Amino acid sequence: MKDAFGNGSKPSVTPDDVLHPAEVTVLGVGNIILRDEGFGVRVAEYLDRHYEFPEDVQIIDGGTLGIELTQYVTGTKKLLVIDSINGGAAPGTRFHLRNDEVMAHFQDKLSAHEVGIQDVLALLTVTGHKVPEVVVLGAQPFDLEAGVELSPGMLDLLPAVVEEAIGVLKDWGIAPRPRQEVRAMDYDIVAEEDVKNQME
């Protein structure tokens, strides 16, 4: 099998492989089969289903991908990451990290996909493609057992984090409009599926 770049079975991702350039990227990450671990994906899903965004905004389900996410955020000027964050705090504690705080937080490498985000941001920085504005929103999980539903406590936090995300976007000059009708789940990009297709 060859990837999208013609290199064997394993994709070789560099900052020059920009498949989905966008001025603003909303990236939900996490493992949706470990309950609250999927919080970031669920928030991004809610935004995608309930709001309309300008063409220069992309909503991405990053799942548990790592360095492969480079191709989806290269060239973006403003990156909003939403995640379940195990910061050693009480369950339900919310986090709002910005720019230098983001890399300082990810130095702890708290989960596999957080390692991936750290690596992506570091790679973009050293190759001259640094994302100028990065915000990470998240919350301390209640339950990381197997299951596809958020715990009741995390589900209660979802509306507040959605509003916080919309506030960040408005600060960036983006005004999402509520949809007249909630649409079926239809992310701009489901990154794990996209990467899988590249490898075929």
Side-chain angles (χ1 to χ4, degrees):
M1 283 187 287
K2 291 190 175 183
D3 63 26
F5 319 118
N7 302 313
S9 61
K10 185 177 180 183
S12 173
V13 180
T14 75
D16 295 322
D17 302 320
V18 185
L19 299 186
H20 306 278
E23 190 78 11
V24 177
T25 298
V26 179
L27 176 63
V29 292
N31 190 337
I32 61 171
I33 63 171
L34 295 177
R35 300 206 73 181
D36 293 349
E37 168 71 7
F39 183 68
V41 174
R42 298 307 186 194
V43 172
E45 176 183 321
Y46 187 96
L47 288 166
D48 184 66
R49 294 183 65 202
H50 291 81
Y51 291 90
E52 295 178 359
F53 296 89
E55 288 186 3
D56 60 350
V57 177
Q58 63 177 348
I59 312 291
I60 298 179
D61 169 0
T64 58
L65 288 181
I67 199 69
E68 296 91 349
L69 291 171
T70 304
Q71 60 191 307
Y72 303 101
V73 300
T74 299
T76 223
K77 299 295 186 283
K78 297 176 173 65
L79 173 63
L80 173 58
V81 180
I82 308 169
D83 194 7
S84 169
I85 297 178
N86 186 0
T93 301
R94 287 166 53 190
F95 298 89
H96 185 131
L97 308 171
R98 186 180 296 271
N99 296 326
D100 292 342
E101 295 173 332
V102 172
M103 290 305 288
H105 166 74
F106 287 148
Q107 291 299 322
D108 293 332
K109 298 190 173 184
L110 299 171
S111 72
H113 58 269
E114 287 181 344
V115 174
I117 294 168
Q118 179 194 36
D119 289 345
V120 167
L121 295 176
L123 175 62
L124 293 176
T125 298
V126 301
T127 56
H129 296 80
K130 181 178 180 179
V131 180
E133 185 77 17
V134 181
V135 170
V136 175
L137 303 180
Q140 180 79 26
F142 291 82
D143 184 349
L144 298 177
E145 296 295 320
V148 296
E149 301 292 335
L150 293 175
S151 69
M154 211 65 164
L155 192 59
D156 286 344
L157 290 177
L158 192 144
V161 176
V162 166
E163 287 303 313
E164 190 174 12
I166 290 171
V168 170
L169 293 170
K170 287 182 176 178
D171 287 345
W172 290 345
I174 305 297
R177 293 182 303 176
R179 294 186 183 279
Q180 295 297 317
E181 294 183 7
V182 175
R183 71 172 178 176
M185 204 284 284
D186 183 27
Y187 280 111
D188 294 332
I189 302 162
V190 178
E192 288 180 326
E193 302 255 342
D194 199 39
V195 167
K196 189 187 303 181
N197 291 337
Q198 292 171 32
M199 296 176 66
E200 294 178 349

